[in-house]
């Protein structure tokens, strides 16, 4: 009995943090207006954990595209917005795509978040993908990119970096209601495109709302230097979004978010133009997201804040493909990932110098993958295996803890640890092999330690080491079937890919000069690679069981952990306010990657890339900016690059592109921007892309409030 | 998180250990008295912890005001240490209007603080700043960090107007703002750009300037 009482009491003590939430609000609603200025200056406050941290106070290399950048620069898509960011190169297989490469990592090695919700799902493949372009640029308030691993806080896939897309929102008010409508438009000459958005925002008392509809028509893209129109590049898009924010109290809020992005007739340019396919398009490529988030801030000191979020996301791709070698058969593909997520995050203050952030997250994906081949001559339809294992499920549960410690007035530390447990279940069938069941449960523990030493309030040295991981997903583990080089069988024993990341840098934020410079090195192992394997004792698919490799009996391959790589680089980002009206910005990134086993260069490592801009804003409603984008030649090619038809023999040529843009507010409720891009009509393409970038391009944008 | 894991382990523990859990579940009726006791333990623990959690002092330190409460108090006080040009007010008794952009928490707290108070015989009113409105219609404008970098556009739109602009964003005072809150060692301070204020016709008292961490000229 005494043991039971002791257990009960111990459990009670452990649950005290929860109790403080169930009890009355811990902070008294005191009136501070009676205090003098001196007293207010000496008052210690409770700060919200996850408060908008000043970049100068963060031990990470963080880049931000601000709301002002988005308004002035009128980006066509989210991927193209990232191309002007230091250390990010966007590979475009097709005009409807755009896959960022950050610190040498791409595809499912980069984590994308929307308002903190994971976009990455179980069928994100290794290599470039198009999913970042399923976010409506018109809905975006700002974009934050954390360079380097973010696995401790954000989980799997945050190998090269974390891209957090923050969408627009409006708060409610206790002092009145207001509503306004806005219309946005964008026109561009290189693709003869038109984009329009109608948006309503404001508040009805405590309920804040913002919602809009966007319609986009992108024509085929004209490249530079007489190349002309690139066929099979244009596509259509229609989007809608709504966000409702309700203030339950001055410290509690509830936010409901709904998004849909629907793209039609999105072609994959490279395989069609090469003749490999007569038709290859997504129609539709669609993403739906519903999310609900509750937040309680400034609860008290022991438990300072609580956030609970639930989300449901559906990513659908319906493909229409006609292989060049079988022109009478159209393949109708249906690949869908249905993802549910729950995140619970708390923060606690331990004295005045320490903030704990901790929580749980759960994500579960269900995959629907089917294919129907339609013979255009006979009309016959036949069901085939989809791209992925139909009905497969993937779940992850994780707990995380981050400790931010102010060691002294100059030194702060950030320690973190995460435990993640995954479960993947699938069944795959092939006529030559039969059925294979996959049931795997890998796990990963990751940790990080970072520090920031501030010489003064405006100058700091940051450093750190962190582990990253990428759990094998449905695409890694369940492929069963033929590919160009053989026959692949699934591997139910795949373990997470791992990395160790080392970084140090310096950042400054002064009255006239601000900048960040960093050196990083990332060491990868257990990388998933396709390797020769045996099946039923033989290294080839022995269809007739005669023990001899006959014609048509392909070699067996399997994805296995075993790859090792080393990536290192330097990133520098600077801004200078020359005079009140003149500002300069410049950035450059260099990166080098090597396969540690073969000693070959790694695939898809970007060339040296940099931007330079000069801006003049003489009066409050007018500005003009010259900017250029430069990339060096990239002839350090990995084995995959050498075989990639999107990369010219000998490597991707370097280029320099010059641009001018300008904007003015023609009254307080409207603005116009004009840009003339690629002034010299240079023909160029980003390394690894399947299409050329636009030639000379006149872009006009406007917005008006009603 | 460690607390929750340990709590879950305590609740899950049973005399037959992990392997025997299945037997314990399938033999629920035999185990029912034990299970009922285990549930009772959990209920008592939650009730006890709620009481513990609600007792002042057991949380480790006296409750502290929030950052927003202190900023709202500062904004109210700023009204006492700034002089506006006469043309900023329609009449002698016109109120001082405080606009808030983006931060509902500060707005609500400020609304409570200014109720029934006056500065130099003028009442204080709090209202929400509307994006794109054609004229400032306020004498103090607080631009919260949730506005993001739209604060630069707001500052451009009201440049030259006799509005005391107050922010809490990096670089606010250098981008046309007049007073910017700074958080250091969990205490709220502020920096002032006197030139921006004077070019808008505002005079900031020497006492407020003396208390600023930095005065930009």
């Amino acid at each position: 009995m005494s043991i039971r009482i002791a257990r009960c009491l111990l459990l009670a003590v452990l649950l005290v943090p929860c109790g403080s939430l169930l009890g009355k609000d811990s902070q008294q609603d005191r009136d501070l207006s009676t205090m003098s200025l001196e007293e207010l200056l000496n008052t210690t406050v409770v700060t919200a954990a996850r408060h908008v941290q000043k970049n100068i106070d963060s031990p990470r290399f963080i880049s931000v595209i601000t709301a002002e950048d988005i308004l002035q620069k009128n980006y066509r898509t989210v991927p193209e917005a990232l191309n002007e960011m230091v250390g990010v190169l966007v590979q475009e297989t097709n005009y409807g795509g755009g896959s960022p490469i950050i610190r040498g990592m791409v595809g499912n090695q980069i984590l994308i978040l929307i308002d903190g919700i994971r976009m990455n799902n179980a069928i994100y493949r290794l290599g470039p993908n198009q999913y970042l372009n399923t976010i409506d640029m018109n809905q975006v308030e700002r974009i934050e990119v954390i360079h380097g691993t973010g696995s401790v806080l954000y989980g799997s896939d945050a190998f090269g970096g974390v891209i957090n897309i923050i969408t627009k929102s409006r708060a409610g008010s206790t002092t009145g209601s207001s509503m306004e409508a806005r219309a946005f438009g964008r026109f561009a000459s290189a693709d003869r495109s038109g984009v329009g958005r109608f948006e309503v925002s404001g508040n009805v008392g405590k309920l804040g709302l913002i919602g809009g509809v966007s319609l986009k028509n992108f024509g085929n893209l004209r490249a530079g230097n007489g190349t002309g129109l690139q066929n099979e590049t244009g596509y259509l898009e229609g989007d809608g979004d709504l966000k409702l924010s309700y203030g339950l109290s001055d410290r509690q809020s509830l936010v409901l978010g709904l998004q849909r992005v629907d793209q039609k007739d999105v072609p994959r340019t490279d395989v069609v133009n090469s003749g490999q396919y007569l038709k290859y398009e997504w129609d539709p490529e669609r993403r739906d997201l519903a999310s609900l988030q509750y937040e309680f801030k400034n609860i008290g000191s022991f438990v300072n804040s609580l956030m609970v979020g639930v989300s449901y996301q559906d990513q659908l791709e319906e493909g229409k493909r006609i292989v060049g070698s079988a022109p009478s058969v159209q393949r109708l593909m249906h690949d869908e990932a249905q993802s549910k997520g729950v995140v619970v995050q708390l923060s606690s203050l331990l004295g005045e110098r320490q903030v704990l952030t901790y929580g749980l997250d759960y994500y579960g994906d269900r995959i629907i993958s089917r294919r129907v081949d339609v013979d255009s001559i006979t009309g016959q339809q036949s069901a085939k295996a989809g791209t992925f294992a139909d009905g497969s499920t993937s779940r992850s549960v994780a707990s995380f803890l981050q400790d931010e410690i102010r060691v002294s007035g100059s030194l702060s530390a950030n320690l973190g640890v995460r435990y993640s447990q995954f479960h993947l279940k699938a069944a795959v069938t092939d006529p030559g092999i039969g059925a294979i069941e996959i049931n795997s449960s890998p796990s990963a523990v990751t940790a990080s330690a970072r520090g920031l030493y501030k010489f003064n309030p405006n100058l700091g040295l940051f450093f750190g080491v962190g582990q990253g991981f990428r759990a094998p997903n449905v695409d890694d583990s369940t492929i069963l079937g033929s590919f160009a080089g053989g026959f692949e069988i699934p591997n139910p024993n795949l373990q997470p890919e791992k990395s160790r990341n080392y970084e140090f840098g310096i950042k400054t934020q002064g009255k006239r000069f601000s900048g960040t410079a960093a050196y990083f090195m990332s060491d990868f192992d257990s990388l998933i690679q396709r390797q020769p394997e045996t099946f039923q004792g033989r290294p080839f698919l022995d269809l007739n069981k005669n023990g001899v490799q006959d014609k048509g009996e392909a070699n067996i391959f399997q994805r296995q952990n075993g790859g090792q790589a080393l990536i290192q680089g330097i990133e520098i980002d600077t801004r200078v306010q020359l005079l009140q009206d003149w500002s300069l910005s410049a950035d450059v990134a260099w990166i080098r990657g090597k396969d540690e086993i073969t000693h070959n260069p790694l695939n898809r490592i970007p060339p040296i890339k940099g931007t330079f801009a000069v801006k003049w804003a003489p009066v409050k409603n007018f500005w003009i900016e010259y900017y250029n984008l430069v990339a060096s030649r990239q002839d350090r090619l990995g084995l995959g690059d050498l075989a990639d038809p999107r990369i010219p023999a000998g490597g991707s040529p370097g280029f320099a592109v010059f641009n001018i843009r300008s904007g003015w507010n023609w009254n307080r409720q409207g603005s116009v921007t004009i840009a003339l891009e690629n002034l010299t009509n240079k023909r160029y393409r980003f390394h690894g892309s399947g299409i050329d970038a636009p030639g000379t391009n006149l872009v006009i944008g406007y917005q008006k409030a009603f | 998180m460690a607390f929750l894991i340990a709590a879950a382990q305590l609740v899950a523990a049973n005399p037959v250990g992990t392997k025997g859990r299945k037997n314990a579940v399938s033999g629920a009726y035999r185990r029912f008295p034990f299970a009922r006791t285990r549930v009772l333990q959990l209920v008592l623990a939650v009730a006890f912890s709620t009481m513990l959690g609600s007792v002042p002092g057991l949380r480790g330190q006296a409750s502290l005001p929030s950052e927003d409460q202190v900023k709202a108090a500062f904004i109210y006080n700023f009204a006492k240490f700034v002089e506006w040009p006469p043309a900023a007010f329609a009449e002698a008794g016109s109120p001082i209007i405080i606009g808030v952009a983006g931060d509902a928490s500060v707005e609500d707290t400020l609304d409570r603080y200014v109720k029934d108070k006056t500065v130099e015989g003028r009442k204080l009113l709090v209202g929400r700043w509307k994006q794109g409105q054609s004229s400032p219609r306020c004498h103090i404008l607080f631009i919260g960090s949730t506005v993001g970098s739209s604060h630069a556009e707001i500052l451009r739109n009201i440049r030259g107007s006799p509005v005391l602009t107050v922010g809490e964003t990096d670089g606010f005072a250098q981008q046309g703002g007049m007073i910017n809150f700074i958080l250091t060692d969990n205490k709220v301070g502020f920096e002032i750009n006197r030139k921006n204020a004077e070019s808008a016709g505002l005079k900031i008292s020497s006492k407020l300037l003396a208390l600023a961490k930095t005065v930009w000229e």
Side-chain angles (χ1 to χ4, degrees):
Chain A
M1 179 64 77
S2 61
I3 293 175
R4 288 177 182 173
I5 291 173
R7 187 164 61 191
C8 188
L9 286 172
L10 179 58
L11 181 57
V13 170
L14 291 173
L15 288 175
V16 164
C18 303
S20 70
L21 292 176
L22 296 172
K24 285 170 101 173
D25 284 358
S26 63
Q27 281 188 320
Q28 294 185 0
D29 211 9
R30 65 181 81 168
D31 184 350
L32 302 184
S33 63
T34 56
M35 296 171 71
S36 67
L37 286 173
E38 291 85 350
E39 287 170 327
L40 289 172
L41 286 169
N42 285 317
T43 300
T44 300
V45 298
V46 168
T47 59
R50 300 296 214 150
H51 59 277
V52 179
Q53 189 177 34
K54 286 189 193 179
N55 203 340
I56 189 70
D57 294 329
S58 167
R60 303 298 308 264
F61 193 126
I62 299 174
S63 302
V64 179
I65 297 174
T66 64
E68 185 178 46
D69 291 331
I70 293 170
L71 193 65
Q72 291 187 350
K73 298 177 183 178
N74 221 334
Y75 303 112
R76 186 182 74 91
T77 63
V78 172
E80 290 185 5
L82 294 178
N83 239 340
E84 291 187 30
M85 183 179 278
V86 63
V88 181
L89 182 132
V90 176
Q91 183 273 2
E92 280 187 308
T93 293
N94 58 329
Y95 203 39
S99 196
I101 304 174
I102 306 176
R103 294 196 172 181
M105 299 284 105
V106 68
N108 60 12
Q109 298 165 326
I110 301 289
L111 178 61
I112 304 170
L113 307 172
I114 304 178
D115 296 328
I117 301 166
R118 284 180 73 92
M119 258 190 76
N120 294 41
N121 59 44
I123 57 176
Y124 269 37
R125 58 186 173 275
L126 180 65
N129 61 52
Q130 67 274 28
Y131 305 122
L132 186 61
N133 194 29
T134 59
I135 300 171
D136 181 12
M137 189 71 226
N138 295 318
Q139 196 201 354
V140 177
E141 169 80 17
R142 62 193 263 129
I143 303 173
E144 296 175 348
V145 175
I146 301 173
H147 298 241
T149 180
S151 291
V152 167
L153 276 184
Y154 301 109
S156 179
D157 299 6
F159 249 179
V162 180
I163 302 171
N164 191 14
I165 312 293
I166 297 156
T167 60
K168 296 175 183 174
S169 63
R170 293 289 183 269
S173 171
T174 55
T175 59
S177 301
S178 69
M179 204 63 71
E180 70 163 20
R182 275 185 182 260
F184 300 82
R186 181 187 189 275
F187 307 98
S189 64
D191 59 0
R192 306 222 173 153
S193 62
V195 172
R197 174 174 172 89
F198 182 76
E199 180 181 283
V200 173
S201 66
N203 73 290
V204 177
K206 286 187 182 180
L207 179 69
L209 71 90
I210 181 165
V213 172
S214 300
L215 296 173
K216 306 173 186 178
N217 184 340
F218 300 107
N220 287 332
L221 179 64
R222 186 179 302 276
N225 199 21
T227 307
L229 281 180
Q230 299 178 87
N231 292 325
E232 299 296 325
T233 48
Y235 63 98
L236 302 171
E237 184 173 320
D239 313 322
D241 55 88
L242 175 66
K243 187 185 276 189
L244 302 175
S245 308
Y246 185 72
L248 298 167
S249 73
D250 63 342
R251 286 177 286 144
Q252 296 183 74
S253 62
L254 198 60
V255 178
L256 170 71
L258 301 170
Q259 299 172 15
R260 162 168 280 200
V261 171
D262 196 341
Q263 296 169 337
K264 299 213 178 290
D265 302 328
V266 187
R268 180 168 166 174
T269 310
D270 59 328
V271 298
V272 172
N273 288 343
S274 69
Q276 184 183 353
Y277 283 83
L278 298 178
K279 183 176 188 175
Y280 194 123
E281 64 181 30
W282 290 275
D283 183 21
E285 171 86 54
R286 181 186 299 153
R287 186 183 63 83
D288 291 306
L289 172 63
S291 65
L292 185 64
Q293 180 176 296
Y294 166 77
E295 197 165 6
F296 191 176
K297 296 192 286 189
N298 298 326
I299 302 166
S301 44
F302 197 68
V303 177
N304 176 247
S305 71
L306 165 70
M307 189 279 290
V308 180
V310 295
S311 62
Y312 176 77
Q313 188 154 225
D314 190 309
Q315 174 193 293
L316 169 66
E317 298 174 286
E318 292 204 334
K320 295 171 184 168
R321 300 175 194 172
I322 300 176
V323 182
S325 57
S328 65
V329 177
Q330 179 167 244
R331 297 179 184 176
L332 303 177
M333 321 289 295
H334 179 109
D335 296 316
E336 186 175 357
Q338 299 170 339
S339 307
K340 298 173 191 169
V342 180
V343 178
V344 178
Q345 182 176 293
L346 302 98
S347 67
S348 294
L349 306 182
L350 304 182
E352 295 181 7
R353 292 174 174 268
Q354 206 166 351
V355 177
L356 289 181
T357 304
Y358 49 94
L360 287 168
D361 62 47
Y362 163 85
Y363 285 94
D365 295 348
R366 178 170 170 266
I367 307 305
I368 301 169
S369 183
R370 294 169 195 152
R371 170 179 147 191
V372 173
D373 286 2
V374 180
D375 191 313
S376 60
I377 297 174
T378 64
Q380 184 179 2
Q381 296 188 5
S382 51
K384 305 279 188 184
T387 312
F388 310 101
D390 187 31
S392 55
T393 59
S394 170
R395 292 196 312 269
S396 75
V397 180
S399 59
F400 58 89
L401 171 67
Q402 175 183 269
D403 193 358
E404 298 169 84
I405 308 165
R406 199 168 66 253
V407 178
S408 70
S410 303
L411 180 65
S412 60
N414 185 313
L415 309 174
V417 64
R418 180 180 188 98
Y419 171 73
S420 305
Q421 176 74 57
F422 304 91
H423 185 70
L424 195 151
K425 190 173 178 183
V428 291
T429 304
D430 179 83
I433 283 194
I436 298 179
E437 288 219 356
I438 295 143
N439 211 327
S440 66
S441 299
S443 63
V445 177
T446 45
S448 68
R450 299 182 187 277
L452 175 71
Y453 182 81
K454 292 187 78 174
F455 300 99
N456 60 53
N458 299 325
L459 180 65
L461 174 73
F462 64 96
F463 46 90
V465 56
Q467 293 176 304
F469 75 97
R470 188 185 74 80
N473 62 15
V474 167
D475 179 67
D476 294 309
S477 304
T478 67
I479 298 294
L480 173 65
S482 299
F483 67 100
F487 189 91
E488 184 170 341
I489 59 173
N491 184 351
N493 299 315
L494 281 174
Q495 295 298 312
E497 299 180 321
K498 296 174 187 171
S499 71
R500 284 162 300 280
N501 307 271
Y502 312 91
E503 181 178 16
F504 70 87
I506 193 160
K507 48 173 78 174
T508 180
Q509 193 157 7
K511 189 175 177 182
R512 295 213 177 273
F513 180 80
S514 63
T516 308
Y519 167 80
F520 69 90
M521 184 172 74
S522 299
D523 185 7
F524 298 87
D525 62 55
S526 302
L527 293 176
I528 296 173
Q529 296 177 322
R530 195 181 272 145
Q531 300 287 352
E533 187 50 69
T534 59
F535 181 74
Q536 294 177 338
R538 305 203 192 283
F540 58 91
L541 189 64
D542 193 5
L543 295 170
N544 57 14
K545 312 289 183 205
N546 65 354
V548 175
Q549 186 171 13
D550 300 308
K551 188 179 177 184
E553 292 183 340
N555 289 327
I556 298 284
F557 289 84
Q558 186 187 55
R559 296 191 196 190
Q560 298 172 354
N561 295 106
Q564 295 176 8
L566 182 72
I567 297 178
Q568 54 182 328
I570 294 173
E571 294 168 334
I572 302 173
D573 191 9
T574 61
R575 291 184 202 288
V576 181
Q577 189 69 40
L578 286 174
L579 301 166
Q580 188 165 359
D581 302 335
W582 289 89
S583 61
L584 288 181
S585 64
D587 65 69
V588 65
W590 167 85
I591 183 168
R592 183 71 51 109
K594 186 174 80 169
D595 185 317
E596 292 277 83
I597 293 177
T598 65
H599 301 290
N600 288 319
L602 278 184
N603 294 326
R604 295 195 192 92
I605 294 296
I608 300 173
K609 171 181 160 274
T611 67
F612 172 78
V614 179
K615 188 174 182 182
W616 181 47
V619 294
K620 66 182 177 182
N621 59 352
F622 174 77
W623 59 272
I624 185 166
E625 181 182 56
Y626 159 82
Y627 72 100
N628 64 24
L629 177 66
V630 178
S632 70
R633 178 180 186 77
Q634 180 56 289
D635 52 12
R636 276 181 57 86
L637 304 177
L639 293 178
D641 292 337
L642 292 170
D644 191 334
R646 291 167 291 190
I647 298 175
S652 298
F655 59 84
V657 181
F658 309 97
N659 318 270
I660 291 180
R661 53 190 167 211
S662 177
W664 67 93
N665 303 326
W666 46 275
N667 66 35
R668 285 212 169 106
Q669 296 198 5
S671 65
V672 174
T673 59
I674 295 180
L676 195 58
E677 300 174 349
N678 195 355
L679 295 170
T680 60
N681 200 31
K682 172 87 177 170
R683 182 186 179 190
Y684 72 103
R685 79 170 53 178
F686 291 99
H687 181 58
S689 295
I691 57 169
D692 290 338
T696 299
N697 189 18
L698 175 66
V699 181
I700 299 173
Y702 83 93
Q703 64 153 328
K704 178 165 170 50
F706 303 92
Chain B
M1 192 55 239
F3 307 142
L4 296 175
I5 292 173
Q9 288 172 343
L10 277 177
V11 173
N14 66 74
V16 298
T18 307
K19 288 184 181 177
R21 183 177 305 164
K22 190 175 178 183
N23 290 335
V25 171
S26 64
Y29 285 111
R30 276 188 297 117
R31 301 275 178 205
F32 182 68
F34 172 76
R36 187 169 56 182
T37 304
R38 196 152 41 116
V39 169
L40 183 59
Q41 287 177 23
L42 181 59
V43 170
L44 285 173
V46 170
F48 188 44
S49 70
T50 303
M51 293 191 308
L52 284 177
S54 303
V55 175
L58 272 181
R59 297 190 196 98
Q61 61 188 85
S63 58
L64 299 172
S66 72
E67 194 179 328
D68 290 344
Q69 287 175 313
V70 170
K71 287 178 180 174
F74 266 121
I75 294 169
Y76 160 66
N77 272 277
F78 290 157
K80 303 177 193 172
F81 296 95
V82 173
E83 278 182 38
W84 282 268
F89 298 95
E91 298 171 348
S94 296
I96 296 173
I97 300 173
I98 304 174
V100 178
D103 198 318
S105 174
V106 168
E107 180 189 348
D108 294 342
T109 307
L110 199 52
D111 197 39
R112 284 200 305 277
Y113 285 176
V114 303
K115 191 176 177 186
D116 299 327
K117 292 191 173 78
T118 60
V119 171
E120 300 289 330
R122 299 182 188 277
K123 286 185 181 177
L124 297 116
L125 298 176
V126 177
R128 172 151 290 272
W129 168 267
K130 297 174 189 176
Q131 185 184 3
Q133 63 188 55
S134 57
S135 64
R137 294 185 191 167
C138 60
H139 303 93
I140 300 176
L141 177 62
F142 173 67
I143 306 173
S145 61
T146 55
V147 166
S149 283
S150 295
H151 75 265
E153 185 189 354
I154 296 174
L155 289 174
R156 273 199 305 276
N157 285 340
I158 64 173
R159 192 193 294 186
S161 304
V163 178
L164 180 74
T165 50
V166 182
E168 55 176 8
T169 311
D170 276 354
F172 183 84
Q174 293 89 340
Q175 293 168 7
M178 298 171 192
I179 301 181
N180 190 35
F181 287 122
I182 302 170
L183 187 69
T184 309
D185 293 339
N186 282 52
K187 292 187 171 74
V188 179
F190 53 89
E191 56 183 355
I192 295 177
N193 190 314
R194 177 155 66 176
K195 182 184 173 187
N196 289 344
E198 287 178 350
S199 64
L202 303 178
K203 188 177 175 192
I204 298 180
S205 86
S206 54
K207 178 176 179 180
L208 194 61
L209 291 170
L211 292 174
K213 286 189 182 297
T214 308
V215 177
W216 303 95
E217 298 288 354

